[in-house]
Amino acid sequence: MKLRPLLACLAAVTATLVAPGVAHAAAPSNDDFGSATAVTALPFTASQDVREATRAADDPTPCQTYTTWSVWYDYTATADALVRVTPAGTGARPFVAVYTGERGALSPVACRAWDTPGYVTFRATAGTTYHVMFAQQYNQGDLTAGFTTVPPAQNDGFAAAAPVSVPGDYAGDLTVASAEPGEARPSCDPGADRSVWFAFTPDRTRSVSALAMYDWGPGITVYRGTTPGTLSEVDCVASGDRRAAVFTAEAGQSYRIRVADDAEAASVFQLRLDTAPPLRPFVTPYPNNPTVYTDVTLVPYSGDSLGRDFVSGEVRFGDGGSAPITGAPIVHRYAADGEYRVEVTGATADGRTGSGFATLKVETHDVAVSDFVVPAKARVDETKPIKVSITNTRHDETVVVSLSKLTEQGYYQEVGQLKQWVPAGGKVLFPFAYTYTAADAAAGKTTFKVSAGFDPSYTEDARPEDNVRSASTVVRARTAIAMS
């Protein structure tokens, strides 16, 4: 395209954009903190177009996430109540953040981003003004803001614990939960102060798992007892751990299960109670190809799908020895080659037990360069024998011996290789011969290295340090022959 027609086209487009009479959407009336929409009574619902909403320079960062637009609502509580704020509309669900205080010095009360359940519930105090911010990273259409009061959780208090049984699934909502004065706090998660309670009395003794599920995962604490002053903690899983609490439920004994999280993470959840699955123990040796010279580390695992480790038990090595499971490394050295059945038996803290085993093969290959004899002196063009003796202490082996010499460049270059059968307990001579060169004489000596290995080459020697030797020969120039 030529430049002049292109400029003319751009000018026409620009003129169209700035021509008078073309309407542009305005920002919402509650776009700024200072012009927030007043929520006068609950329930309250308002819908608006937020496509032209903007972000003020002093807007807070809701849920620690940067946003590009916001609109504001103000609610002054007329009575103490649980208030729920719910966003709806087109596009991505907005963040909802609740603050108190003055512009530039706002204190966060609650916030909810994309995660479940999508609404915010907070405890309003009569006479306090709450500033509610709806915000997002994208401007995508309409917003409907809903404000209403909601009742507290029915099992919010210890005395109102909801009865449960095994197996069973029970819904809960920590956004409408609170902590009672003097309420027991879990040892693993003392900051989790939004709690609800469940009561469980088993009809028979067994290991029970209690799992609270949603995106983040609330904390679960199991107590034995029926009154706040007599509770004893049985198991504790912190919020965010996402594991189940597991405990031995004794027939007829009363238990209380506390599900809790902090105010920021409080959400809906599903509590699942079930009989804890059986253990599937196993033991892992390292290395898994040991010799009689190797210290083997044996690591016992409970094989528990709930992630609980052994707290007691025993590992039996298969050679008559054993060691208790204490959490410390278990190390053992076997005295003889063979296949050993390594067994593990253990118990988790909740009382489940199980056994498993692994087969460990101990195999030792051990040859050594017992003699390496090179000539003390030699002249150029002389061919002299070099003798290597290999001893074998374990199994019949095919041994490969490589003879190398040190070059001027500082590396070893192979000059010969022999392969022979060496029986267990035997000693075999590997005879080499080498013809000395002028380069050897120039250097003054030749340094040889001999190394022994196995055929097949992947067989490893248990003590490779005695498989290599080196020795040197002093080399002189060839003697001159008188001419007649």
Side-chain angles (χ1 to χ4, degrees):
M1 179 181 287
K2 293 182 178 179
L3 181 58
R4 186 179 298 275
L6 175 59
L7 292 174
C9 179
L10 292 173
V13 172
T14 303
T16 301
L17 292 174
V18 301
V22 179
H24 294 275
S29 61
N30 59 343
D31 188 43
D32 187 72
F33 178 89
S35 58
T37 297
V39 178
T40 56
L42 302 184
F44 173 91
T45 302
S47 296
Q48 62 183 126
D49 185 343
V50 295
R51 282 174 291 186
E52 300 300 323
T54 62
R55 181 183 187 276
D58 62 351
D59 270 0
T61 303
C63 305
Q64 301 179 342
T65 304
Y66 179 77
T67 56
T68 62
W69 65 268
S70 65
V71 292
W72 291 87
Y73 290 79
D74 282 351
Y75 169 66
T76 301
T78 57
D80 293 352
L82 278 171
V83 177
R84 176 166 293 169
V85 183
T86 305
T90 58
R93 185 172 64 206
F95 297 7
V96 185
V98 182
Y99 302 91
T100 57
E102 302 299 326
R103 184 170 198 159
L106 296 175
S107 299
V109 175
C111 187
R112 184 66 64 184
W114 292 289
D115 53 332
T116 302
Y119 52 74
V120 159
T121 306
F122 64 97
R123 293 188 174 272
T125 302
T128 302
T129 297
Y130 296 90
H131 309 288
V132 181
M133 176 190 193
F134 294 84
Q136 243 293 0
Q137 297 172 339
Y138 313 100
N139 289 28
Q140 293 183 332
D142 298 328
L143 165 69
T144 298
F147 291 71
T148 187
T149 58
V150 292
Q154 291 184 352
N155 56 340
D156 189 27
F158 181 89
V164 292
S165 59
V166 176
D169 289 281
Y170 306 92
D173 186 354
L174 294 178
T175 68
V176 290
S178 63
E180 296 176 273
E183 180 176 332
R185 294 294 180 90
S187 61
C188 66
D189 202 10
D193 56 0
R194 295 286 187 93
S195 64
V196 292
W197 291 88
F198 298 88
F200 173 51
T201 302
D203 58 352
R204 59 188 177 90
T205 299
R206 54 182 158 171
S207 284
V208 171
S209 65
L211 177 64
M213 300 174 290
Y214 70 76
D215 291 343
W216 173 248
I220 306 175
T221 312
V222 180
Y223 297 94
R224 182 184 291 107
T226 56
T227 61
T230 62
L231 295 182
S232 60
E233 189 176 287
V234 176
D235 195 24
C236 184
V237 176
S239 55
D241 192 321
R242 305 184 74 172
R243 292 188 304 159
V246 192
F247 62 104
T248 300
E250 300 176 7
Q253 176 68 54
S254 294
Y255 297 89
R256 294 295 183 267
I257 301 172
R258 184 182 189 264
V259 180
D261 217 325
D262 58 41
E264 183 177 351
S267 186
V268 295
F269 66 90
Q270 191 81 10
L271 175 66
R272 173 167 295 173
L273 296 179
D274 210 343
T275 301
L279 305 180
R280 301 186 183 281
F282 61 99
V283 59
T284 299
Y286 179 82
N288 59 7
N289 57 342
T291 73
V292 295
Y293 304 111
T294 305
D295 287 330
V296 184
T297 300
L298 299 165
V299 183
Y301 294 94
S302 66
D304 180 24
S305 60
L306 300 177
R308 297 309 174 101
D309 296 326
F310 284 136
V311 295
S312 63
E314 181 184 53
V315 173
R316 294 178 292 279
F317 306 134
D319 61 356
S322 64
I325 297 173
T326 62
I330 296 175
V331 180
H332 183 65
R333 180 177 290 193
Y334 289 86
D337 285 359
E339 287 195 354
Y340 297 90
R341 180 184 170 97
V342 184
E343 300 178 343
V344 55
T345 298
T348 53
D350 58 276
R352 285 173 296 160
T353 61
S355 299
F357 73 93
T359 300
L360 178 63
K361 184 177 182 180
V362 179
E363 186 172 86
T364 308
H365 299 271
D366 184 21
V367 298
V369 179
S370 55
D371 291 302
F372 181 30
V373 181
V374 302
K377 300 177 181 179
R379 293 186 180 275
V380 174
D381 292 337
E382 277 190 308
T383 300
K384 288 194 171 185
I386 295 176
K387 299 178 182 180
V388 181
S389 294
I390 302 295
T391 55
N392 178 15
T393 61
R394 293 287 168 175
H395 305 278
D396 294 345
E397 308 279 8
T398 299
V399 179
V400 179
V401 176
S402 174
L403 176 68
S404 304
K405 77 166 188 175
L406 185 65
T407 66
E408 293 180 1
Q409 292 75 28
Y411 65 87
Y412 281 94
Q413 179 180 23
E414 187 176 84
V415 294
Q417 186 181 95
L418 293 173
K419 183 194 304 186
Q420 291 193 79
W421 178 257
V422 182
K427 180 177 181 180
V428 174
L429 175 67
F430 285 66
F432 289 90
Y434 178 74
T435 302
Y436 294 87
T437 67
D440 297 327
K445 69 175 182 178
T446 297
T447 299
F448 295 98
K449 181 179 75 173
V450 65
S451 57
F454 297 100
D455 184 21
S457 60
Y458 56 77
T459 302
E460 295 183 3
D461 196 287
R463 295 190 295 179
E465 63 274 8
D466 60 14
N467 288 26
V468 179
R469 280 198 185 186
S470 59
S472 299
T473 300
V474 176
V475 184
R476 298 176 180 175
R478 185 173 51 184
T479 303
I481 301 175
M483 302 295 295
S484 59

